[in-house]
Protein backbone atom coordinates (compact mmCIF):
# COMPACT_ATOMS: atom_id res chain seq x y z
CA UNK A 1 0.00 0.00 0.00
CA UNK A 2 1.53 3.38 -0.94
CA UNK A 3 1.96 5.80 1.97
CA UNK A 4 3.66 9.06 2.83
CA UNK A 5 6.14 8.88 5.72
CA UNK A 6 6.63 12.03 7.77
CA UNK A 7 7.79 13.12 11.21
CA UNK A 8 5.31 12.32 14.04
CA UNK A 9 4.53 16.02 14.63
CA UNK A 10 3.28 16.38 11.04
CA UNK A 11 1.31 13.07 10.87
CA UNK A 12 -2.16 14.30 11.87
CA UNK A 13 -1.83 17.45 9.78
CA UNK A 14 -0.78 15.36 6.77
CA UNK A 15 -3.69 13.00 7.29
CA UNK A 16 -6.16 15.89 7.44
CA UNK A 17 -4.68 17.41 4.30
CA UNK A 18 -4.98 14.12 2.38
CA UNK A 19 -8.53 13.66 3.61
CA UNK A 20 -9.58 17.11 2.44
CA UNK A 21 -8.08 16.44 -0.99
CA UNK A 22 -9.77 13.00 -1.07
CA UNK A 23 -6.40 11.31 -1.37
CA UNK A 24 -6.47 9.44 1.96
CA UNK A 25 -6.89 5.64 1.85
CA UNK A 26 -9.43 5.22 4.66
CA UNK A 27 -9.00 1.45 4.77
CA UNK A 28 -5.79 1.80 6.75
CA UNK A 29 -4.69 3.76 9.81
CA UNK A 30 -1.53 5.67 10.66
CA UNK A 31 1.44 3.35 11.11
CA UNK A 32 4.91 3.75 12.59
CA UNK A 33 7.76 2.89 10.22
CA UNK A 34 11.56 2.66 10.67
CA UNK A 35 13.36 5.91 11.41
CA UNK A 36 10.81 7.08 13.97
CA UNK A 37 8.45 8.31 11.27
CA UNK A 38 4.69 7.82 10.80
CA UNK A 39 3.19 6.59 7.52
CA UNK A 40 -0.14 7.90 6.20
CA UNK A 41 -1.79 5.69 3.51
CA UNK A 42 -2.62 7.16 0.11
CA UNK A 43 -5.10 5.89 -2.50
CA UNK A 44 -2.97 4.21 -5.21
CA UNK A 45 -5.01 5.73 -8.06
CA UNK A 46 -4.55 9.24 -6.62
CA UNK A 47 -0.75 9.30 -6.40
CA UNK A 48 -0.41 11.52 -9.45
CA UNK A 49 -2.55 14.20 -7.78
CA UNK A 50 -0.31 14.65 -4.73
CA UNK A 51 0.62 18.26 -4.12
CA UNK A 52 1.75 18.97 -0.56
CA UNK A 53 3.12 22.08 1.18
CA UNK A 54 6.90 22.36 0.97
CA UNK A 55 7.22 22.80 4.75
CA UNK A 56 5.80 19.30 5.31
CA UNK A 57 8.71 16.88 4.65
CA UNK A 58 7.40 13.54 3.26
CA UNK A 59 8.76 10.47 1.57
CA UNK A 60 6.73 8.04 -0.54
CA UNK A 61 7.10 4.40 0.45
CA UNK A 62 5.18 1.12 0.32
CA UNK A 63 3.79 -0.68 3.39
CA UNK A 64 3.82 -4.47 3.09
CA UNK A 65 1.30 -5.27 5.88
CA UNK A 66 -0.82 -2.16 6.50
CA UNK A 67 -2.88 -1.90 9.69
CA UNK A 68 -6.66 -1.56 9.06
CA UNK A 69 -8.22 1.66 10.28
CA UNK A 70 -10.78 1.62 13.10
CA UNK A 71 -13.58 2.28 10.62
CA UNK A 72 -12.41 -0.61 8.44
CA UNK A 73 -12.32 -2.94 11.43
CA UNK A 74 -15.97 -2.12 12.14
CA UNK A 75 -17.06 -3.13 8.63
CA UNK A 76 -18.08 -6.70 7.86
CA UNK A 77 -15.96 -8.66 5.34
CA UNK A 78 -18.85 -8.49 2.84
CA UNK A 79 -18.97 -4.70 3.18
CA UNK A 80 -15.21 -4.41 2.73
CA UNK A 81 -15.38 -6.61 -0.36
CA UNK A 82 -18.04 -4.45 -2.00
CA UNK A 83 -16.18 -1.23 -1.21
CA UNK A 84 -12.96 -2.59 -2.68
CA UNK A 85 -14.75 -3.75 -5.83
CA UNK A 86 -16.47 -0.38 -6.28
CA UNK A 87 -13.06 1.24 -5.99
CA UNK A 88 -11.60 -1.20 -8.54
CA UNK A 89 -14.39 -0.73 -11.11
CA UNK A 90 -14.99 2.97 -10.60
CA UNK A 91 -17.59 4.17 -13.12
CA UNK A 92 -18.07 0.60 -14.34
CA UNK A 93 -19.79 -0.46 -11.10
CA UNK A 94 -23.48 -1.40 -11.50
CA UNK A 95 -26.32 -3.10 -9.68
CA UNK A 96 -26.10 -6.02 -12.10
CA UNK A 97 -22.46 -6.61 -11.18
CA UNK A 98 -23.24 -6.26 -7.47
CA UNK A 99 -25.59 -9.25 -7.72
CA UNK A 100 -22.56 -11.32 -8.74
CA UNK A 101 -20.68 -10.46 -5.54
CA UNK A 102 -21.00 -13.22 -2.91
CA UNK A 103 -22.45 -12.60 0.55
CA UNK A 104 -20.83 -15.74 2.01
CA UNK A 105 -17.92 -18.07 1.30
CA UNK A 106 -15.95 -20.88 2.89
CA UNK A 107 -12.62 -20.08 4.53
CA UNK A 108 -9.85 -22.63 4.86
CA UNK A 109 -6.81 -20.98 6.43
CA UNK A 110 -5.52 -18.37 3.97
CA UNK A 111 -7.79 -19.61 1.15
CA UNK A 112 -11.36 -18.45 0.49
CA UNK A 113 -13.63 -20.72 -1.52
CA UNK A 114 -16.31 -18.80 -3.43
CA UNK A 115 -19.66 -20.16 -4.54
CA UNK A 116 -20.10 -21.23 -8.15
CA UNK A 117 -22.32 -18.24 -9.05
CA UNK A 118 -19.75 -15.64 -7.92
CA UNK A 119 -18.29 -13.17 -10.45
CA UNK A 120 -19.73 -14.85 -13.54
CA UNK A 121 -20.63 -11.71 -15.52
CA UNK A 122 -18.33 -10.94 -18.43
CA UNK A 123 -16.97 -7.60 -17.05
CA UNK A 124 -15.49 -9.44 -14.07
CA UNK A 125 -13.56 -11.81 -16.34
CA UNK A 126 -11.92 -8.86 -18.09
CA UNK A 127 -10.33 -7.76 -14.82
CA UNK A 128 -8.21 -10.89 -14.66
CA UNK A 129 -5.83 -11.27 -11.71
CA UNK A 130 -6.63 -7.76 -10.43
CA UNK A 131 -10.09 -9.00 -9.42
CA UNK A 132 -8.81 -11.98 -7.44
CA UNK A 133 -6.08 -9.94 -5.76
CA UNK A 134 -8.74 -7.43 -4.68
CA UNK A 135 -11.01 -10.20 -3.35
CA UNK A 136 -8.12 -11.74 -1.42
CA UNK A 137 -7.07 -8.39 0.05
CA UNK A 138 -10.63 -7.48 1.11
CA UNK A 139 -11.22 -10.85 2.77
CA UNK A 140 -7.80 -11.12 4.41
CA UNK A 141 -6.73 -14.12 2.33
CA UNK A 142 -3.79 -15.01 0.10
CA UNK A 143 -5.51 -17.56 -2.16
CA UNK A 144 -8.90 -17.61 -3.91
CA UNK A 145 -10.79 -20.53 -5.47
CA UNK A 146 -14.28 -20.93 -6.91
CA UNK A 147 -16.54 -23.94 -6.57
CA UNK A 148 -18.31 -25.62 -9.46
CA UNK A 149 -20.88 -28.39 -9.54
CA UNK A 150 -19.98 -31.76 -8.03
CA UNK A 151 -18.94 -34.15 -10.80
CA UNK A 152 -21.12 -37.26 -11.33
CA UNK A 153 -18.11 -39.61 -11.11
CA UNK A 154 -19.21 -41.66 -8.09
CA UNK A 155 -16.61 -39.96 -5.90
CA UNK A 156 -18.33 -36.58 -5.41
CA UNK A 157 -15.24 -34.92 -6.87
CA UNK A 158 -15.51 -31.13 -6.78
CA UNK A 159 -15.11 -28.86 -9.78
CA UNK A 160 -13.00 -26.20 -8.13
CA UNK A 161 -10.87 -23.65 -9.98
CA UNK A 162 -7.89 -22.08 -8.24
CA UNK A 163 -8.04 -18.38 -9.18
CA UNK A 164 -5.18 -17.01 -7.07
CA UNK A 165 -2.36 -19.02 -5.53
CA UNK A 166 -0.08 -21.87 -6.49
CA UNK A 167 -1.79 -24.88 -4.89
CA UNK A 168 -5.08 -25.90 -3.27
CA UNK A 169 -3.84 -27.69 -0.14
CA UNK A 170 -5.44 -26.29 3.01
CA UNK A 171 -5.78 -27.19 6.67
CA UNK A 172 -9.10 -27.03 8.49
CA UNK A 173 -9.40 -27.43 12.28
CA UNK A 174 -12.71 -28.91 13.43
CA UNK A 175 -13.39 -29.92 17.06
CA UNK A 176 -9.66 -29.97 17.73
CA UNK A 177 -8.96 -32.25 14.74
CA UNK A 178 -6.70 -31.11 11.90
CA UNK A 179 -7.98 -32.02 8.43
CA UNK A 180 -5.81 -31.31 5.41
CA UNK A 181 -6.96 -31.69 1.82
CA UNK A 182 -6.67 -30.15 -1.64
CA UNK A 183 -9.84 -28.10 -2.27
CA UNK A 184 -9.47 -28.63 -6.02
CA UNK A 185 -9.56 -32.41 -5.58
CA UNK A 186 -11.63 -33.13 -2.43
CA UNK A 187 -14.74 -31.80 -0.74
CA UNK A 188 -15.12 -30.73 2.87
CA UNK A 189 -18.68 -30.94 4.17
CA UNK A 190 -19.32 -28.51 7.04
CA UNK A 191 -22.96 -29.69 7.18
CA UNK A 192 -21.90 -32.94 8.89
CA UNK A 193 -20.57 -31.18 11.99
CA UNK A 194 -23.36 -32.45 14.29
CA UNK A 195 -22.65 -36.06 13.36
CA UNK A 196 -18.88 -35.61 13.70
CA UNK A 197 -19.41 -34.21 17.20
CA UNK A 198 -21.73 -37.10 18.09
CA UNK A 199 -19.26 -39.69 16.77
CA UNK A 200 -16.51 -38.05 18.84
CA UNK A 201 -18.59 -38.60 21.99
CA UNK A 202 -19.32 -42.31 21.41
CA UNK A 203 -17.73 -44.82 23.84
CA UNK A 204 -15.38 -46.69 21.47
CA UNK A 205 -12.44 -47.38 23.78
CA UNK A 206 -10.68 -50.59 22.77
CA UNK A 207 -12.91 -51.15 19.73
CA UNK A 208 -11.94 -52.00 16.16
CA UNK A 209 -13.89 -49.98 13.64
CA UNK A 210 -14.39 -50.24 9.88
CA UNK A 211 -15.20 -46.99 8.06
CA UNK A 212 -16.49 -48.09 4.65
CA UNK A 213 -16.56 -44.62 3.07
CA UNK A 214 -13.74 -42.75 4.78
CA UNK A 215 -13.23 -39.83 2.39
CA UNK A 216 -10.70 -37.40 3.86
CA UNK A 217 -11.44 -38.73 7.34
CA UNK A 218 -14.71 -36.98 8.32
CA UNK A 219 -15.55 -39.77 10.77
CA UNK A 220 -12.34 -41.84 10.83
CA UNK A 221 -10.50 -39.04 12.65
CA UNK A 222 -13.16 -38.32 15.34
CA UNK A 223 -13.36 -42.06 16.07
CA UNK A 224 -9.59 -42.19 16.55
CA UNK A 225 -8.84 -38.82 18.16
CA UNK A 226 -11.81 -38.38 20.51
CA UNK A 227 -13.87 -41.59 20.73
CA UNK A 228 -10.84 -43.70 21.60
CA UNK A 229 -11.15 -46.43 18.95
CA UNK A 230 -8.23 -48.84 19.23
CA UNK A 231 -7.92 -49.30 15.46
CA UNK A 232 -9.74 -48.17 12.31
CA UNK A 233 -9.83 -49.81 8.90
CA UNK A 234 -10.57 -46.87 6.56
CA UNK A 235 -11.83 -47.69 3.06
CA UNK A 236 -11.69 -45.13 0.26
CA UNK A 237 -11.51 -45.39 -3.54
CA UNK A 238 -10.69 -41.75 -4.41
CA UNK A 239 -6.89 -41.54 -4.59
CA UNK A 240 -6.91 -37.80 -3.77
CA UNK A 241 -8.96 -38.44 -0.62
CA UNK A 242 -6.61 -41.29 0.32
CA UNK A 243 -3.63 -38.92 0.14
CA UNK A 244 -5.48 -36.31 2.23
CA UNK A 245 -6.49 -38.92 4.82
CA UNK A 246 -2.90 -40.17 5.11
CA UNK A 247 -1.63 -36.63 5.71
CA UNK A 248 -4.35 -35.92 8.29
CA UNK A 249 -3.62 -39.13 10.20
CA UNK A 250 0.01 -38.04 10.45
CA UNK A 251 -0.95 -34.49 11.48
CA UNK A 252 -3.11 -35.83 14.33
CA UNK A 253 -0.58 -38.44 15.50
CA UNK A 254 -2.85 -41.47 14.89
CA UNK A 255 -1.30 -42.96 11.74
CA UNK A 256 -0.22 -46.13 13.59
CA UNK A 257 -3.84 -46.89 14.58
CA UNK A 258 -5.31 -46.84 11.09
CA UNK A 259 -4.95 -48.94 7.96
CA UNK A 260 -6.16 -47.36 4.72
CA UNK A 261 -7.75 -49.79 2.26
CA UNK A 262 -7.53 -48.03 -1.09
CA UNK A 263 -10.16 -49.18 -3.58
CA UNK A 264 -13.80 -50.21 -3.83
CA UNK A 265 -15.07 -51.10 -0.35
CA UNK A 266 -17.47 -53.65 -1.90
CA UNK A 267 -14.36 -55.73 -2.69
CA UNK A 268 -12.98 -55.49 0.87
CA UNK A 269 -11.50 -58.82 1.98
CA UNK A 270 -11.77 -58.20 5.73
CA UNK A 271 -14.02 -60.50 7.78
CA UNK A 272 -14.90 -60.94 11.43
CA UNK A 273 -12.88 -57.94 12.73
CA UNK A 274 -15.20 -55.08 13.62
CA UNK A 275 -16.94 -54.03 16.81
CA UNK A 276 -18.43 -51.10 14.93
CA UNK A 277 -18.97 -50.19 11.26
CA UNK A 278 -19.58 -46.71 9.86
CA UNK A 279 -21.53 -46.47 6.58
CA UNK A 280 -21.33 -42.73 5.92
CA UNK A 281 -22.60 -42.58 2.34
CA UNK A 282 -25.65 -40.71 1.06
CA UNK A 283 -28.16 -40.80 -0.53
CA UNK A 284 -27.85 -44.47 0.43
CA UNK A 285 -25.24 -46.80 1.89
CA UNK A 286 -27.28 -49.90 0.97
CA UNK A 287 -24.61 -51.35 -1.33
CA UNK A 288 -22.30 -51.53 1.69
CA UNK A 289 -24.68 -53.49 3.94
CA UNK A 290 -23.42 -56.98 2.91
CA UNK A 291 -19.81 -55.86 3.49
CA UNK A 292 -20.73 -54.39 6.88
CA UNK A 293 -22.31 -57.70 7.89
CA UNK A 294 -19.20 -59.63 6.82
CA UNK A 295 -16.76 -57.46 8.78
CA UNK A 296 -18.76 -57.54 12.05
CA UNK A 297 -17.35 -59.96 14.61
CA UNK A 298 -19.31 -63.17 14.08
CA UNK A 299 -19.32 -64.26 17.74
CA UNK A 300 -20.16 -60.94 19.40
CA UNK A 301 -21.55 -58.68 16.68
CA UNK A 302 -21.45 -54.90 17.12
CA UNK A 303 -23.00 -51.60 16.08
CA UNK A 304 -23.67 -50.29 12.56
CA UNK A 305 -24.00 -46.54 11.88
CA UNK A 306 -26.11 -46.49 8.71
CA UNK A 307 -26.49 -43.21 6.79
CA UNK A 308 -29.45 -42.70 4.45
CA UNK A 309 -31.58 -39.94 2.93
CA UNK A 310 -35.22 -40.41 3.94
CA UNK A 311 -38.13 -38.58 2.34
CA UNK A 312 -40.62 -37.16 4.81
CA UNK A 313 -44.14 -35.85 4.28
CA UNK A 314 -44.61 -32.27 5.52
CA UNK A 315 -45.46 -32.48 9.23
CA UNK A 316 -48.41 -30.60 10.75
CA UNK A 317 -47.60 -27.43 12.65
CA UNK A 318 -46.42 -28.05 16.22
CA UNK A 319 -45.96 -25.77 19.23
CA UNK A 320 -42.70 -23.82 18.93
CA UNK A 321 -41.19 -25.40 22.05
CA UNK A 322 -41.73 -28.90 20.64
CA UNK A 323 -40.19 -27.98 17.28
CA UNK A 324 -37.07 -26.54 18.94
CA UNK A 325 -36.68 -29.64 21.11
CA UNK A 326 -37.06 -31.92 18.11
CA UNK A 327 -34.48 -30.05 16.03
CA UNK A 328 -31.92 -29.88 18.83
CA UNK A 329 -32.53 -33.38 20.16
CA UNK A 330 -32.88 -34.16 23.85
CA UNK A 331 -29.74 -33.46 25.92
CA UNK A 332 -29.82 -36.98 27.31
CA UNK A 333 -29.40 -38.54 23.87
CA UNK A 334 -25.73 -37.54 23.80
CA UNK A 335 -24.80 -40.19 26.36
CA UNK A 336 -25.41 -43.96 26.53
CA UNK A 337 -27.00 -43.67 30.00
CA UNK A 338 -29.29 -40.86 28.89
CA UNK A 339 -30.24 -42.77 25.78
CA UNK A 340 -31.22 -45.82 27.80
CA UNK A 341 -33.44 -43.63 29.98
CA UNK A 342 -34.92 -42.00 26.84
CA UNK A 343 -35.74 -45.41 25.36
CA UNK A 344 -37.35 -46.62 28.57
CA UNK A 345 -39.61 -43.57 28.64
CA UNK A 346 -40.64 -43.81 24.98
CA UNK A 347 -41.23 -47.47 24.23
CA UNK A 348 -37.68 -48.82 23.95
CA UNK A 349 -36.72 -48.01 20.37
CA UNK A 350 -38.33 -44.69 19.47
CA UNK A 351 -36.56 -41.36 19.67
CA UNK A 352 -38.40 -38.07 19.90
CA UNK A 353 -37.49 -37.24 16.29
CA UNK A 354 -38.83 -40.56 15.00
CA UNK A 355 -42.11 -40.13 16.88
CA UNK A 356 -42.56 -36.77 15.18
CA UNK A 357 -41.73 -38.24 11.75
CA UNK A 358 -43.11 -41.77 11.38
CA UNK A 359 -41.31 -42.22 8.02
CA UNK A 360 -38.00 -42.19 9.88
CA UNK A 361 -39.15 -44.94 12.23
CA UNK A 362 -40.54 -47.06 9.36
CA UNK A 363 -37.23 -46.72 7.48
CA UNK A 364 -35.27 -47.70 10.59
CA UNK A 365 -37.45 -50.73 11.28
CA UNK A 366 -37.28 -51.89 7.66
CA UNK A 367 -33.48 -51.49 7.63
CA UNK A 368 -33.14 -53.41 10.92
CA UNK A 369 -35.20 -56.30 9.50
CA UNK A 370 -33.13 -56.48 6.30
CA UNK A 371 -29.79 -56.34 8.14
CA UNK A 372 -30.98 -59.07 10.50
CA UNK A 373 -31.84 -61.24 7.50
CA UNK A 374 -28.44 -60.60 5.84
CA UNK A 375 -26.61 -61.62 9.02
CA UNK A 376 -28.70 -64.77 9.50
CA UNK A 377 -28.09 -65.80 5.87
CA UNK A 378 -24.36 -65.10 6.13
CA UNK A 379 -23.76 -67.04 9.35
CA UNK A 380 -26.45 -69.71 9.14
CA UNK A 381 -27.95 -68.85 12.54
CA UNK A 382 -30.39 -66.27 13.91
CA UNK A 383 -29.33 -62.75 14.84
CA UNK A 384 -31.21 -59.92 16.51
CA UNK A 385 -31.03 -56.24 15.60
CA UNK A 386 -32.03 -53.40 17.93
CA UNK A 387 -32.54 -49.74 17.05
CA UNK A 388 -30.42 -47.73 19.46
CA UNK A 389 -30.90 -44.25 18.01
CA UNK A 390 -32.09 -42.35 14.93
CA UNK A 391 -30.04 -39.19 14.42
CA UNK A 392 -31.03 -36.40 11.99
CA UNK A 393 -27.88 -34.85 10.49
CA UNK A 394 -29.24 -32.19 8.15
CA UNK A 395 -31.95 -31.36 5.67
CA UNK A 396 -30.68 -32.60 2.31
CA UNK A 397 -33.50 -31.26 0.12
CA UNK A 398 -37.13 -30.18 0.64
CA UNK A 399 -38.76 -32.95 2.73
CA UNK A 400 -35.60 -35.10 2.53
CA UNK A 401 -33.47 -35.63 5.64
CA UNK A 402 -30.01 -37.13 6.02
CA UNK A 403 -30.37 -39.61 8.89
CA UNK A 404 -28.07 -41.99 10.75
CA UNK A 405 -29.40 -45.19 12.27
CA UNK A 406 -27.40 -46.71 15.13
CA UNK A 407 -28.23 -50.41 14.86
CA UNK A 408 -26.97 -52.95 17.38
CA UNK A 409 -26.54 -56.43 15.86
CA UNK A 410 -25.88 -59.50 18.03
CA UNK A 411 -25.91 -63.25 17.33
CA UNK A 412 -28.62 -65.19 19.19
CA UNK A 413 -26.77 -67.52 21.56
CA UNK A 414 -27.89 -71.18 21.76
Amino acid sequence: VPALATEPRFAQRLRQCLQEERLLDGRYGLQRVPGGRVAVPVLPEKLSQLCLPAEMPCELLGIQDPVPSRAARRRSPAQRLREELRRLLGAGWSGELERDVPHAWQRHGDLVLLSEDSFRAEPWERLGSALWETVASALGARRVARRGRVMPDGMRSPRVTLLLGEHGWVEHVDNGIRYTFDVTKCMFSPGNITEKLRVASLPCSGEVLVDLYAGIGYFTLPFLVHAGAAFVHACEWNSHAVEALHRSLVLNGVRDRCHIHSGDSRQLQLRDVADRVNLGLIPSSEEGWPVACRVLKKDTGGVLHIHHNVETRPAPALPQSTVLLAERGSPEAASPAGEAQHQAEHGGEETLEARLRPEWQRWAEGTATRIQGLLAELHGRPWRSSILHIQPVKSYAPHVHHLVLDLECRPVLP
Side-chain angles (χ1 to χ4, degrees), residues 229-297:
F231 198 85
V232 173
H233 293 277
C235 309
E236 178 53 45
W237 67 356
N238 183 332
S239 61
H240 302 296
V242 167
E243 182 182 1
L245 175 57
H246 172 81
R247 292 189 184 198
S248 295
L249 290 167
V250 173
L251 274 178
N252 290 279
V254 293
R255 186 66 186 89
D256 60 331
R257 290 161 49 211
C258 182
H259 179 78
I260 302 175
H261 300 264
S262 182
D264 190 337
S265 62
R266 290 171 295 189
Q267 309 302 320
L268 187 65
Q269 297 302 307
L270 288 178
R271 287 177 179 266
D272 186 28
V273 297
D275 301 291
R276 195 179 293 264
V277 184
N278 193 62
L279 297 103
L281 182 66
I282 54 173
S284 174
S285 61
E286 192 169 342
E287 287 192 352
W289 295 359
V291 182
C293 291
R294 287 199 301 270
V295 300
L296 272 183
K297 289 182 177 177

Side-chain angles (χ1 to χ4, degrees), residues 15 45 47 50 69 112 157 166 205 227 238 244 248 254-255 261 267 280 291 293 321 325 341 376 398:
R15 183 182 183 280
E45 63 272 22
L47 283 174
L50 279 174
S69 66
V112 290
S157 301
E166 297 181 356
S205 179
N238 183 332
S248 295
V254 293
R255 186 66 186 89
H261 300 264
Q267 309 302 320
V291 182
C293 291
S321 58
L325 181 60
Q341 177 186 352

Side-chain angles (χ1 to χ4, degrees), residues 90-407:
W93 179 259
S94 69
E96 181 182 354
L97 289 180
E98 185 167 10
R99 287 193 290 273
D100 258 6
V101 180
H103 294 273
W105 45 84
Q106 287 185 23
R107 179 179 291 277
H108 302 289
D110 67 352
L111 183 146
V112 290
L113 182 59
L114 306 173
S115 59
E116 61 182 285
D117 56 351
S118 303
F119 303 110
R120 287 298 187 183
E122 194 272 337
W124 294 119
E125 299 297 333
R126 289 202 302 266
L127 294 172
S129 61
L131 170 62
W132 310 124
E133 288 167 1
T134 300
V135 171
S137 173
L139 301 183
R142 294 184 181 276
R143 295 177 291 163
V144 179
R146 183 168 55 198
R147 235 182 6 245
R149 294 188 181 277
V150 175
M151 289 188 280
D153 58 359
M155 300 184 189
R156 292 186 60 77
S157 301
R159 281 195 181 98
V160 173
T161 304
L162 191 64
L163 304 167
L164 181 68
E166 297 181 356
H167 64 86
W169 279 96
V170 298
E171 185 174 314
H172 187 96
V173 179
D174 197 28
N175 192 24
I177 297 172
R178 298 168 67 187
Y179 297 85
T180 185
F181 57 100
D182 185 339
V183 296
T184 67
K185 302 290 195 304
C186 303
M187 290 183 64
F188 186 86
S189 179
N192 290 337
I193 181 62
T194 56
E195 182 61 8
K196 285 185 282 188
L197 290 172
R198 191 179 77 93
V199 159
S201 70
L202 292 173
C204 301
S205 179
E207 293 185 350
V208 174
L209 181 129
V210 174
D211 190 353
L212 286 180
Y213 310 101
I216 66 171
Y218 294 119
F219 302 116
T220 294
L221 289 165
F223 274 119
L224 285 167
V225 175
H226 293 311
F231 198 85
V232 173
H233 293 277
C235 309
E236 178 53 45
W237 67 356
N238 183 332
S239 61
H240 302 296
V242 167
E243 182 182 1
L245 175 57
H246 172 81
R247 292 189 184 198
S248 295
L249 290 167
V250 173
L251 274 178
N252 290 279
V254 293
R255 186 66 186 89
D256 60 331
R257 290 161 49 211
C258 182
H259 179 78
I260 302 175
H261 300 264
S262 182
D264 190 337
S265 62
R266 290 171 295 189
Q267 309 302 320
L268 187 65
Q269 297 302 307
L270 288 178
R271 287 177 179 266
D272 186 28
V273 297
D275 301 291
R276 195 179 293 264
V277 184
N278 193 62
L279 297 103
L281 182 66
I282 54 173
S284 174
S285 61
E286 192 169 342
E287 287 192 352
W289 295 359
V291 182
C293 291
R294 287 199 301 270
V295 300
L296 272 183
K297 289 182 177 177
K298 64 181 181 182
D299 293 330
T300 56
V303 176
L304 306 182
H305 301 285
I306 303 171
H307 291 236
H308 198 82
N309 280 354
V310 177
E311 189 169 355
T312 311
R313 291 193 303 271
L318 294 170
Q320 186 67 20
S321 58
T322 307
V323 173
L324 288 173
L325 181 60
E327 291 302 322
R328 293 172 183 168
S330 63
E332 296 87 358
S335 69
E339 192 155 293
Q341 177 186 352
H342 192 60
Q343 291 172 3
E345 291 173 355
H346 299 293
E349 294 181 352
E350 281 190 330
T351 64
L352 175 60
E353 295 91 345
R355 287 190 296 114
L356 289 173
R357 298 177 173 89
E359 294 91 345
W360 297 6
Q361 184 69 19
R362 285 197 293 271
W363 165 73
E365 290 170 353
T367 299
T369 299
R370 290 184 57 191
I371 294 289
Q372 185 172 301
L374 286 171
L375 286 163
E377 182 181 354
L378 177 66
H379 297 291
R381 58 173 172 168
W383 280 61
R384 61 179 175 83
S385 58
S386 306
I387 297 172
L388 297 178
H389 184 63
I390 302 169
Q391 177 68 37
V393 177
K394 62 180 181 292
S395 176
Y396 187 82
H399 312 306
V400 177
H401 288 84
H402 173 185
L403 305 181
V404 181
L405 166 62
D406 295 350
L407 187 67

